[in-house]
Amino acid sequence: MEMTGSGSVPALTAAYEVIRQPLGEILPRLSTLLAELVPHRAAAELSTHCAHSPFKTYGDAEIIGRLSTADLAPLLATGTPGRPWQGTLPLAGAERPVLAVTSHATPRGAVLLLVRDADGGGEADGGDEGALPAVDERAAALIQALWDVVTSHFDRLAAEAVPGALARSRTAAGTRAQVIAELGEAYSAALTGLLGVLRSRTLDDAAARATATDLAVSALVELRAEAERDQEIAEEPAGQAFARLAESLRPLVRYSPVRLELGAPDSRRTVAADVAHTARVIVRAVLLTVLEQETVTRVHVGWQLTDAELRATVRDDGPGTLTSDGLATGRVTDRLDVLNGRLDVDAVPGWGTTVSATIPLRVSQDPAPDPLIALGERELEVLARLALGHRNRAIAQELHISESTVKFHVAKILTKLGVGSRGEAAALFHAVA
């Protein structure tokens, strides 16, 4: 597809071509499209919407194999949305020209990094890459607009994740956190032991010992800094997460006689992104049901955190006739089931109703294996529609793919799930989701 810095139709087509991809293919597709405007050897993103894989790369293996969140975190923190930054950075063992694009289309922001190609043909390291001409302002503006569209799409997918995708995110996030913790403990133990040896007064060569001690201390500091950066990306401070909820609730009662009271969590803890997303979705869904009652004049929404769980409550002064069946819609129960949460309804006729959603903060130490974890993003999209009873032609139209591609995905789904029919696959999806 030809894409230039002018013309709204090519730009809209480009945006559509990117966001229609499965999540894992969005960055590769975006990189391919942007290569027409800014030739580059590698692309990387740091997107705080994603609890289990916020850092993604694509392109030259020599470069992306040496990139990390430490390279992009400062760009995310200092970047100005709407003003792409151009310059050089020390990346993958060399000073490289880059274009960094920051977006605040998601509440916590996202940054896209393009490691530019000096001559469009993959110049070897060590060349005069710093002499590249600046990216044209119109092209930079188009890239900014595309990145804003993509990150807005990310935020919607995170906030409205189907149960299968949420389950995969939860499982992957738990595994990722466990691996990071284990690696951190192992490296920390090794470096601490090394420091103990180096500080021993029985060893000779004080200068060498001092140098090695400094190196070990620096390694420990960087290890802890990396763990803190990872936590900041994958988790949200509880107060900040609740503030985002409050901001989304106020418009619901702006022109209503109902008074909304907010009880922010009295905690400095952080919560996993999937937990925060789920708590916000559930509270909004419950509040909408509560506001349908005619005699409600006051609603209190609050979060409480313990060491083990987040408890979100919605309390009203209505007739006290709400029931679990009326509140536990598919959207609420499906999300809670994925996170091993529960919904409690305490209604007192004449006094009001208190609805509590309790969500564990941590993944179970021995989670049941999720059969959907083996499926790719596109396969999950096909399976979700298959489970709703849609036929291949309808699925093809909804996903804008050919009917033969749908048949291919269905065959792979049946193989990966170990089932023999579409009905069995649908039943398994409903059982897990």
Side-chain angles (χ1 to χ4, degrees), residues 309-324:
E309 61 188 24
L310 182 154
R311 188 177 186 220
T313 59
V314 180
R315 185 173 67 251
D316 69 54
D317 63 352
T321 56
L322 292 178
T323 64
S324 298

Side-chain angles (χ1 to χ4, degrees), residues 172-410:
T175 302
R176 175 170 167 264
Q178 183 177 354
V179 169
I180 290 172
E182 290 175 352
L183 286 175
E185 290 174 0
Y187 283 124
S188 181
L191 289 170
T192 301
L194 176 61
L195 281 174
V197 174
L198 294 172
R199 287 170 175 166
S200 173
R201 295 184 178 181
T202 62
L203 297 176
D204 295 327
D205 197 350
R209 187 165 65 246
T211 301
T213 299
D214 288 341
L215 291 174
V217 169
S218 297
L220 272 174
V221 170
E222 179 56 31
L223 175 66
R224 290 167 183 168
E226 182 69 24
E228 290 173 359
R229 280 193 295 267
D230 188 85
Q231 183 181 39
E232 289 174 358
I233 294 166
E235 301 183 357
E236 291 185 71
Q240 179 178 311
F242 186 83
R244 289 178 55 189
L245 170 65
E247 184 178 353
S248 69
L249 297 183
R250 292 190 180 98
L252 302 181
V253 297
R254 183 170 296 159
Y255 303 106
S256 166
V258 176
R259 185 172 78 253
L260 178 64
E261 300 174 352
L262 299 169
D266 183 18
S267 173
R268 296 184 178 180
R269 289 196 55 175
T270 59
V271 294
D274 52 4
V275 173
H277 283 312
T278 298
R280 285 191 289 263
V281 169
I282 290 173
V283 168
R284 284 195 295 267
V286 170
L287 180 60
L288 286 172
T289 302
V290 166
L291 292 176
E292 292 176 357
Q293 303 173 104
E294 294 183 356
T295 60
V296 173
T297 62
R298 180 174 59 86
V299 177
H300 180 274
V301 174
W303 280 9
Q304 291 181 320
L305 276 86
T306 67
D307 289 340
E309 61 188 24
L310 182 154
R311 188 177 186 220
T313 59
V314 180
R315 185 173 67 251
D316 69 54
D317 63 352
T321 56
L322 292 178
T323 64
S324 298
D325 291 339
L327 289 163
T329 63
R331 190 179 189 188
V332 170
T333 55
D334 288 349
R335 283 173 169 266
L336 281 175
D337 288 346
V338 167
L339 300 184
N340 295 320
R342 68 178 187 276
L343 189 73
D344 299 307
V345 180
D346 182 14
V348 180
W351 289 91
T353 305
T354 299
V355 183
S356 302
T358 304
I359 307 173
L361 294 178
R362 298 182 181 86
V363 182
S364 172
Q365 293 299 315
D366 297 304
D370 176 15
L372 303 185
I373 197 75
L375 302 184
E377 296 294 340
R378 180 64 86 187
E379 291 165 344
L380 278 172
E381 292 173 346
V382 171
L383 178 58
R385 288 161 174 79
L386 183 153
L388 292 174
H390 296 184
R391 308 308 300 171
N392 288 352
R393 178 173 298 178
I395 296 174
Q397 292 173 345
E398 292 169 9
L399 297 180
H400 304 286
I401 57 180
S402 68
E403 193 170 347
S404 61
T405 301
V406 175
K407 293 179 181 178
F408 172 76
H409 284 311
V410 170

